């Protein structure tokens, strides 16, 4: 393992050993979702975010023009504008300006851009004292730390730590009472505004139409820092540009709501030009920071990220962030967007570990108010970084030599089924593995490879006049781990007079390779699968695994987009691919065919990430479960990731996966359900493994299995 | 719900105190009653019409000169809103003159007089006036104020009054001002 990876692993372990942090982030995440929903009540979030996406794309495509308009207007209003290409460039300009003006003390309001450039260090090197006045930033400055969240920088700290820091500052014993500590900050920082010769702020928006900026804040320190000192420096990322005041209003409408669930922050401050200051006028300097933003905007795969309005929501909902915090899952910028920004602002090396720490659950995508496909971009970035670094030796060989050769791959899986006998002792699950494999089964059992894969036991179906002929894309889990899920699907489909074929040439969907950054193997597998699945021209291709669904619906096209004839075939396959529950409910409209089956139990439902946030399917399986007579009880966080993430939980970051699984198991047990249903063999593997290890009574079932069991029981009753 | 009621609900949710006033005299009485120290009264068109500063002084308020050193000592600042935004309970203050900023940032209490008829629906509806302010003056410092100053930076616990005013009192009046650009 690389030194860097080892160091990163150590930081993960340390974070995971701080349950107080996880508890705090979980509580915040829960409260956030509730207040966010309230804040958006009556508004159409999807429409709002589409609008912001379109507006920001327009800015990206016409950046030079809007920027010139902004600069012209700002200068006409008396501002001095400086365009800084790099962080060093920006720091130098600001430090030199301060030195020239004889500034001793600067008061800063919160600015992520200044964190990005490490401005404080540059100022200190020039003998200028930067005083952070945002409460969270001040706490961090006193403790010598960096923010762990973009909106709530000190979210990882507790009041006792703050009391300790403040006591050192005041020389008195300050009690760990939050209201008191806030008052201490008020008193301590007050004089700073009056003494400082320079105020430094960021900005949430730069408005081309006016040449003004807007600051969206709560504490009031930004108003003081931009009012009292003689000089105001606004350090602004060039991606904060919007064309008009209406566009600014649209961003402000969603920003606080999506950041913290607040309808609006206490203050929105619109500043244009050299406004009155004391007896004269303000010396306003606007420093426009590029530092990788132009490269990001020009990057074919990542450019959507330029839409980001820095609300921080993509971290709030991220299970990895909630498990390890922003210091581990981020660099300066944190969470999903942090991965991408880090790669462009701070270099690929700083992003190489965090890009692998994302489990791919798409929670971030669902809440992003700028409509950015963060998970898709992270995936492409992983590929870029894998290309640069070469992916781990063993793994890449498996992908290239083994998986691309279906017969070899399947042959090895069959051989493994025999070889595993000593560890399975004839059971269907592996509880313990020897030697260095043992961590894999420490906290969950693993399914054994089936004696006979689905492809070997696929039965002849005897429907007289089938209404439809479809094909199943099984995927590795369905084929080699859970073949009975495939035969259950036949049972369910035959009940609806649908015949299911299993094309034998199908191979792994390629996601494991793709998610590890091996696009070449993924592309080869895409071609094999397209040929296999389209061969007999089925009316639909069904899936039981939503990760495969996404591969067939999205990734194949992406892999083959530069090859027109393949692309057309990939699109054809994408068009006819559908998950089993969605097919029954939406296409066949046949949910009622499962009315009131026997074996009713109390069932709770776990949403698989890729089914809910990839395919947009979550109502359908619930409808089937309820129609077939089960009592459906919702768990908390039903759509939170289970921590499987394919190879993520096996070889990538099993410790984080274990943490995320633990949360999920608690939510399941709390419902008191007999059974937890889902529509993903990966989730089944993870949840069954965890529940078995905990010796829980809760059963795990695929929705298709529940339906098949009900049908069988109904038949048995009849005869 | 009409705009006025919507504004009141949202402003109260944000932590502002709403005060119904029959006329400027009642507002003056309220401010004096709630100010136990120096009061800043920056000049504005609407204030001039009724000579508000004078009224406050007569009613017993200790008026301070609006400059930096005095402002730092003041307990109350009194301003008048150009208009308000209903859906978020927001006050819009043309704060380009520094006096207005000193009175609305440094003291612990901020009293804002608002004409009940000057309320627009939401942030987008506010843009028209916002733009006209930008067209009227070449340089601007315009403040949207929603409730008192707040923070949740320590353990995400909402705490009122960090760097700005700890209290925001909105004094609601009729026939006070009809121009959305006038303070
Ligand atoms: S996909 Fe999931 S794990 Fe990855 S960054 Fe987004 S929320 Fe976090
Ligand atoms: S990527 Fe989206 S969710 Fe994340 S900070 Fe930016 S706008 Fe917010």
């Amino acid at each position: 393992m690389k030194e860097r990876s080892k160091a990163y692993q150590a930081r993960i372990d340390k974070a995971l050993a701080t349950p107080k942090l996880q508890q705090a982030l979980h509580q915040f995440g829960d409260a956030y979702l509730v207040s966010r929903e309230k804040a958006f009540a009556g508004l159409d979030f999807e429409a709002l975010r589409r609008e912001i996406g379109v507006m920001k794309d327009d800015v990206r495509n016409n950046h030079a023009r809007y920027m010139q308009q902004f600069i012209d207007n700002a200068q006409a209003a008396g501002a001095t504008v400086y365009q800084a290409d790099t962080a060093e460039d920006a720091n130098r300009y600001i430090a030199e300006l301060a030195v020239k003006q004889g500034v001793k003390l600067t008061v800063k309001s919160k600015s992520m851009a200044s964190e990005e450039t490490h401005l404080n260090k540059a100022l200190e090197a020039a003998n200028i004292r930067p005083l952070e006045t945002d409460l969270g930033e001040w706490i961090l400055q006193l403790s010598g730390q960096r923010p762990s969240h973009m909106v709530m920088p000190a979210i990882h700290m507790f009041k006792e730590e703050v009391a300790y820091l403040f006591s050192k500052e005041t020389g008195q014993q300050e009690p760990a009472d939050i209201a008191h500590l806030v008052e201490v900050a008020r008193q301590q920082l007050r004089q700073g505004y009056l003494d400082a010769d320079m105020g430094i702020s960021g900005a949430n928006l730069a408005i081309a139409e006016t040449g003004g900026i807007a600051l969206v804040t709560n504490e009031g320190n930004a108003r003081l820092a931009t009012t009292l000192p003689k000089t105001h420096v606004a350090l602004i990322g060039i991606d904060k540009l919007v064309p008009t005041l209406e566009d600014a209003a649209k961003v402000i409408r969603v920003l606080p709501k999506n950041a913290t669930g607040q309808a609006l922050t206490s203050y929105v401050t619109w500043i244009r030009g050299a406004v009155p200051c004391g007896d004269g006028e303000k010396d306003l300097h606007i420093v426009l920071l590029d530092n990788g933003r132009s490269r990001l905007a020009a990057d074919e795969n990542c450019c959507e990220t330029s839409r980001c309005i820095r609300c921080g929501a993509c971290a709030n909902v991220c299970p990895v962030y909630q498990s390890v915090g922003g210091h581990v899952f981020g660099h300066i910028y944190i969470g999903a967007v942090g991965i991408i920004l880090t790669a462009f602002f701070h270099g690929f090396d700083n992003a190489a570990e965090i890009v692998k720490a994302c489990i791919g659950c798409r929670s971030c995508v669902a809440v992003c108010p700028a409509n950015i496909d963060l998970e898709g971009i992270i995936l492409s970035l992983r590929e870029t970084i894998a290309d640069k670094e070469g992916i781990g030796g063993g793994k890449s060989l498996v992908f290239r030599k083994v998986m691309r050769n279906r017969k070899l791959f399947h042959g090895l899986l069959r051989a493994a089924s025999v070889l595993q006998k000593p560890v399975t002792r004839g059971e269907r699950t592996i509880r313990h593995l020897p030697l260095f494999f043992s961590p894999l089964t420490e906290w969950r059992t693993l399914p054994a490879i089936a004696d006979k894969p689905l492809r070997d036991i696929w039965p002849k179906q005897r429907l007289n006049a089938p209404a439809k002929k479809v094909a199943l894309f099984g995927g590795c889990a369905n084929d080699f781990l859970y073949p009975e899920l495939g035969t259950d699907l036949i049972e369910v489909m035959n009940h609806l007079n649908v015949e299911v074929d299993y094309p034998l040439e199908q191979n792994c969907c390629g996601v494991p390779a793709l998610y590890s950054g091996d696009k070449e193997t993924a592309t080869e597998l895409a071609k094999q699968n397209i040929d296999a699945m389209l061969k007999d021209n089925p009316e639909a291709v069904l899936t039981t695994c939503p990760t495969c669904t996404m591969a067939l619906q999205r990734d194949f096209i992406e892999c083959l987009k530069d090859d027109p004839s393949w692309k057309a075939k990939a699109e054809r396959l994408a068009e006819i691919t559908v998950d089993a529950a969605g097919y029954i409910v939406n296409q066949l409209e046949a949910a009622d065919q499962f009315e009131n089956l026997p074996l009713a139990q109390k069932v709770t439902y776990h949403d698989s990430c890729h089914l809910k946030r990839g395919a947009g399917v979550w109502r359908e399986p619930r409808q089937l479960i309820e129609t077939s007579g089960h009592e459906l009880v919702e768990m908390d966080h039903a759509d939170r990731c289970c921590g499987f993430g394919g190879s993520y939980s096996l070889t990538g970051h099993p410790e984080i996966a274990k943490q995320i699984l633990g949360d999920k198991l608690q939510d399941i047990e709390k419902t008191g359900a007999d059974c937890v249903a889902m529509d993903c063999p990966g989730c089944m593997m993870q949840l069954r493994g965890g529940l078995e290890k905990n010796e829980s009574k809760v059963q795990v079932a695929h929705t298709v299995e529940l339906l098949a069991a009900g049908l069988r029981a109904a038949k048995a009753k009849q005869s | 719900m009409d705009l006025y009621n919507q504004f009141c609900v949202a402003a109260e949710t944000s932590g502002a105190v709403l005060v119904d006033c029959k006329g400027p005299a009642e507002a003056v009485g309220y401010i004096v009653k709630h100010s136990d120290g120096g009061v800043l009264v920056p000049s504005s068109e609407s204030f001039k019409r009724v000579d508000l500063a004078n009224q406050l002084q007569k009613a017993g308020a200790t008026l301070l000169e609006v400059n930096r050193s005095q402002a730092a000592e003041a307990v109350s600042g009194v301003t008048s809103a150009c208009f308000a935004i209903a859906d978020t309970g927001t006050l819009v203050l043309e704060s380009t003159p520094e006096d207005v900023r000193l009175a609305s940032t440094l003291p612990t209490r901020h009293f804002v007089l608002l004409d009940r008829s000057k309320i627009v629906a939401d942030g987008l509806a506010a843009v028209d006036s916002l733009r006209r302010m930008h067209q009227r003056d070449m340089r601007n410092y315009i403040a949207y104020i929603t409730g008192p100053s707040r923070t949740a930076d320590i353990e995400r616990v909402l705490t009122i009054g960090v760097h700005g005013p700890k209290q925001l009192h909105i004094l609601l009046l009729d026939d006070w001002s009809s121009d959305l650009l006038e303070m």
Side-chain angles (χ1 to χ4, degrees):
Chain A
M1 214 196 292
K2 279 195 169 196
E3 272 313 308
R4 190 193 60 209
S5 305
K6 267 192 218 152
Y8 190 66
Q9 191 56 50
R11 287 166 59 202
I12 290 178
D13 293 343
K14 194 169 149 220
L16 287 173
T18 319
K20 243 181 111 182
L21 172 71
Q22 286 143 25
Q23 201 193 343
L25 296 180
H26 280 68
Q27 274 171 7
F28 164 63
D30 285 356
Y32 163 74
L33 286 179
V34 175
S35 34
R36 176 179 181 270
E37 198 178 315
K38 243 168 87 187
F40 277 108
L43 294 171
D44 182 349
F45 179 68
E46 291 302 324
L48 293 176
R49 69 172 177 169
R50 267 197 305 275
E51 206 177 12
I52 289 183
V54 170
M55 182 268 288
K56 295 284 275 190
D57 283 354
D58 170 44
V59 174
R60 189 182 74 227
N61 294 328
N62 300 288
H63 200 267
R65 175 160 59 85
Y66 287 126
M67 191 46 105
Q68 197 53 52
Q69 191 189 358
F70 172 79
I71 294 172
D72 291 345
N73 285 326
Q75 286 172 337
T80 307
V81 179
Y82 182 74
Q83 292 178 277
D85 272 345
T86 63
E88 297 70 40
D89 194 9
N91 289 349
R92 180 170 17 84
Y93 179 83
I94 299 170
E96 278 176 14
L97 179 70
V99 169
K100 198 171 79 199
Q101 299 190 340
V103 171
K104 305 244 153 26
L105 173 71
T106 69
V107 276
K108 291 184 66 200
S109 70
K110 190 173 166 306
S111 150
M112 278 307 291
S114 77
E115 292 285 348
E116 172 188 336
T117 65
H118 300 289
L119 176 62
N120 287 0
K121 271 198 203 134
L123 290 171
E124 279 160 2
N127 277 321
I128 296 148
R129 185 177 157 223
L131 176 63
E132 296 287 355
T133 61
D134 173 83
L135 177 57
E137 290 284 348
W138 190 50
I139 294 169
L140 295 181
Q141 188 175 35
L142 293 178
S143 67
Q145 298 188 54
R146 65 175 172 84
S148 74
H149 189 281
M150 297 195 296
V151 177
M152 286 156 295
I155 193 170
H156 61 284
M157 293 190 70
F158 295 92
K159 57 178 188 289
E160 290 75 17
E161 299 167 275
V162 177
Y164 170 78
L165 292 167
F166 282 13
S167 302
K168 271 207 326 203
E169 194 61 18
T170 61
Q172 298 171 34
Q173 189 61 41
E174 305 293 353
D177 170 75
I178 294 176
H180 171 77
L181 294 170
V182 169
E183 183 61 26
V184 171
R186 182 183 176 98
Q187 299 305 337
Q188 289 289 312
L189 293 168
R190 190 116 288 226
Q191 196 57 40
Y193 304 112
L194 296 160
D195 294 345
D197 311 300
M198 177 184 276
I200 300 177
S201 75
N204 297 87
L205 294 154
I207 302 128
E209 174 191 353
T210 62
I213 61 173
L215 303 169
V216 180
T217 65
N218 268 317
E219 295 187 358
N221 59 321
R223 282 159 55 73
L224 287 159
T226 56
T227 292
L228 295 172
K230 180 86 187 67
T231 302
H232 172 198
V233 175
L235 177 63
I236 309 172
I238 56 170
D239 48 355
K240 295 288 175 69
L241 191 61
V242 296
T244 66
L245 288 169
E246 276 85 3
D247 297 321
K250 285 175 191 168
V251 172
I252 291 167
R253 176 168 57 184
V254 299
L255 180 57
K257 292 186 180 68
N258 214 57
T260 56
Q262 220 182 332
L264 188 61
T265 48
S266 298
Y267 307 109
V268 176
T269 308
W270 309 81
I271 302 174
R272 172 170 67 167
V275 293
C277 179
D279 302 327
E281 61 183 37
K282 182 76 80 182
D283 187 13
L284 171 64
H285 293 255
I286 297 176
V287 180
L288 296 167
L289 178 68
D290 188 321
N291 199 34
R293 287 168 175 78
S294 296
R295 256 187 307 119
L296 177 64
D299 187 282
E300 188 199 351
N301 297 315
C302 305
C303 60
E304 252 182 38
T305 315
S306 300
R307 295 176 186 164
C308 172
I309 60 170
R310 305 284 192 278
C311 71
C314 49
N316 298 353
V317 298
C318 169
V320 175
Y321 168 79
Q322 289 180 355
S323 299
V324 299
H327 283 157
V328 178
F329 195 45
H331 181 60
I332 303 291
Y333 293 98
I334 58 125
V337 79
I339 299 173
I340 309 164
L341 298 182
T342 300
F344 285 84
F345 299 176
H346 296 106
F348 282 109
D349 194 49
N350 282 312
E353 293 300 330
I354 49 180
V355 80
K356 287 184 271 184
C358 159
I359 197 169
C361 72
R362 295 181 69 77
S363 295
C364 48
V365 181
V367 297
C368 175
N371 213 13
I372 307 172
D373 182 8
L374 293 153
E375 186 260 341
I377 296 171
I378 291 168
L379 200 57
S380 80
L381 207 54
R382 194 176 299 167
E383 216 174 276
T384 312
I385 291 177
D387 279 352
K388 281 197 196 325
E389 306 205 321
I391 40 176
K395 220 187 205 173
S396 64
L397 199 70
V398 170
F399 289 145
R400 271 186 296 139
K401 297 273 185 240
V402 180
M403 293 183 85
R404 289 190 204 179
N405 181 337
R406 185 187 63 77
K407 286 197 177 128
L408 176 59
F409 176 42
H410 288 168
L412 284 175
L413 283 173
R414 285 170 208 272
S417 128
V418 181
L419 288 172
Q420 72 191 355
K421 286 279 145 60
V423 286
T424 58
R425 296 187 198 87
E427 288 178 45
R428 289 293 312 273
T429 53
I430 307 173
R431 281 163 199 282
H432 308 283
L433 281 168
L435 297 172
F436 50 85
F437 292 117
S438 65
L440 294 181
T441 49
E442 219 167 71
W443 44 276
R444 59 162 179 205
T445 61
L446 288 174
I449 296 173
D451 277 347
K452 287 204 162 124
L454 179 60
R455 55 183 60 240
D456 289 5
I457 56 170
W458 194 261
K460 270 238 148 11
Q461 292 154 63
R462 296 173 210 291
L463 296 175
N464 274 336
K468 306 242 177 234
K469 287 191 173 179
V470 301
L472 169 65
F473 184 83
C476 304
N478 197 161
D479 201 341
F480 287 88
L481 299 175
Y482 302 122
E484 66 283 359
L485 171 59
T487 48
D488 280 353
L489 181 78
I490 297 176
E491 182 123 24
V492 167
M493 285 301 150
N494 285 181
H495 175 69
L496 302 173
N497 200 25
V498 174
E499 189 177 288
V500 196
D501 179 34
Y502 196 79
L504 292 178
E505 304 294 309
Q506 60 180 286
N507 197 346
C508 168
C509 69
V511 161
L514 190 63
Y515 285 23
S516 306
D518 183 356
K519 192 171 181 178
E520 237 183 270
T521 297
T523 307
E524 169 59 31
L525 291 171
K527 288 181 181 171
Q528 290 181 17
N529 284 318
I530 290 170
D531 276 343
M533 298 315 293
L534 292 181
K535 199 164 129 209
D536 291 329
N537 205 14
E539 288 175 68
V541 169
L542 303 191
T543 52
T544 49
C545 166
T547 303
C548 297
T549 316
M550 280 198 78
L552 271 61
Q553 286 182 342
R554 178 189 78 168
D555 302 338
F556 287 7
I557 300 177
E558 172 61 28
C559 284
L560 297 164
K561 64 171 186 268
D562 297 328
D563 185 333
S565 70
W566 275 110
K567 182 169 170 250
K569 286 201 249 181
E571 281 168 352
R572 164 79 190 138
L573 177 58
E575 215 173 281
I576 58 170
T577 297
V578 57
D579 67 285
Y583 183 67
I584 298 170
V585 173
N586 300 329
Q587 301 198 9
L588 299 178
E589 298 183 4
D592 56 352
Q593 296 294 310
F594 299 94
E595 246 166 38
N596 295 326
L597 296 174
L599 300 185
Q601 346 173 39
K602 197 165 164 186
V603 175
T604 189
Y605 188 77
H606 161 69
D607 289 290
S608 303
C609 300
H610 286 172
L611 190 66
K612 179 163 186 194
R613 291 179 289 271
V617 169
W618 74 94
R619 296 186 199 91
E620 294 82 349
R622 285 180 169 81
Q623 189 183 338
L624 289 171
I625 289 166
E626 283 196 301
T627 309
S628 59
H630 298 292
E631 179 198 348
L632 182 69
V633 280
E634 289 292 343
M635 67 175 96
D636 292 338
H637 321 107
D639 64 357
R640 192 173 191 267
C641 181
C642 68
F644 178 62
S647 56
Y648 187 92
S649 69
L650 292 167
T651 53
H653 287 294
E655 2 47 44
I656 300 177
K658 173 187 169 189
Q659 176 69 39
I660 298 174
L661 172 65
D663 295 338
K664 183 76 318 155
L665 296 181
Q666 268 184 21
D667 286 335
I668 294 173
E669 295 285 3
K670 228 176 80 190
T671 61
D674 309 307
C675 171
V676 52
M678 63 211 66
D679 284 73
C680 170
C683 299
M684 282 165 67
M685 182 165 158
Q686 177 83 342
L687 294 180
R688 196 173 276 164
L691 288 166
E692 275 183 3
K693 240 343 190 259
N694 286 357
E695 298 185 352
S696 163
K697 290 199 189 63
V698 183
Q699 296 294 310
V700 173
H702 198 287
T703 304
V704 166
E705 292 177 329
L706 279 182
L707 295 179
L711 289 174
R712 276 195 296 272
K715 267 188 215 148
K717 236 170 144 184
Q718 274 170 15
S719 55
Chain B
M1 217 187 319
D2 64 8
L3 290 182
Y4 173 70
N5 282 308
Q6 202 190 345
F7 168 77
C8 291
V9 171
E12 261 176 350
T13 309
S14 76
V17 180
L18 296 183
V19 189
D20 272 309
C21 298
K22 290 212 182 62
E26 218 178 302
V28 164
Y30 182 89
I31 295 167
V32 172
K33 192 173 146 211
H34 289 87
S35 300
D36 51 1
V39 182
L40 300 175
V41 188
S43 150
S44 82
E45 287 306 309
S46 55
F47 285 2
K48 272 191 226 150
R49 266 198 299 274
V50 298
D51 201 356
L52 193 88
N54 201 13
Q55 285 199 44
L56 277 163
Q57 194 151 29
K58 275 201 203 132
T62 319
L63 292 200
L64 299 177
E65 227 180 286
V66 194
N67 60 37
R68 289 165 175 231
S69 55
Q70 298 260 333
E73 306 302 318
V75 298
S76 301
V78 186
T79 63
S80 177
C82 298
F83 63 98
I85 302 173
D87 72 334
T88 49
T90 301
L91 301 167
V92 178
L93 267 71
E94 163 59 81
S95 312
T96 312
E98 194 183 66
D99 296 8
V100 179
R101 279 179 273 152
L102 295 177
S104 58
T105 53
L106 285 164
T108 11
R109 270 159 251 165
H110 184 196
F111 299 87
V112 186
L113 283 69
L114 171 69
D115 189 298
R116 287 191 182 88
S117 68
K118 295 206 291 183
I119 299 174
V120 302
D122 54 29
L124 273 175
V127 167
D128 177 50
S129 304
L130 189 63
R131 178 169 287 125
R132 285 198 287 135
M133 287 177 182
H134 279 87
Q135 284 161 350
R136 185 184 60 186
D137 308 310
M138 255 325 274
R139 300 169 182 197
N140 320 76
Y141 196 115
I142 299 160
Y144 284 10
I145 298 179
T146 310
S149 147
R150 71 188 62 221
T151 184
D153 270 355
I154 304 178
E155 295 191 3
R156 307 159 321 283
V157 175
L158 177 66
T159 314
I160 296 298
V162 52
H163 299 294
K166 297 180 181 184
Q167 295 173 14
L168 176 68
H169 302 262
I170 304 176
L171 307 165
L172 298 154
L173 296 156
D174 291 320
D175 306 320
W176 170 251
S177 158
S178 57
D179 179 356
L180 268 68
L181 266 56
E182 179 193 83
M183 281 280 281

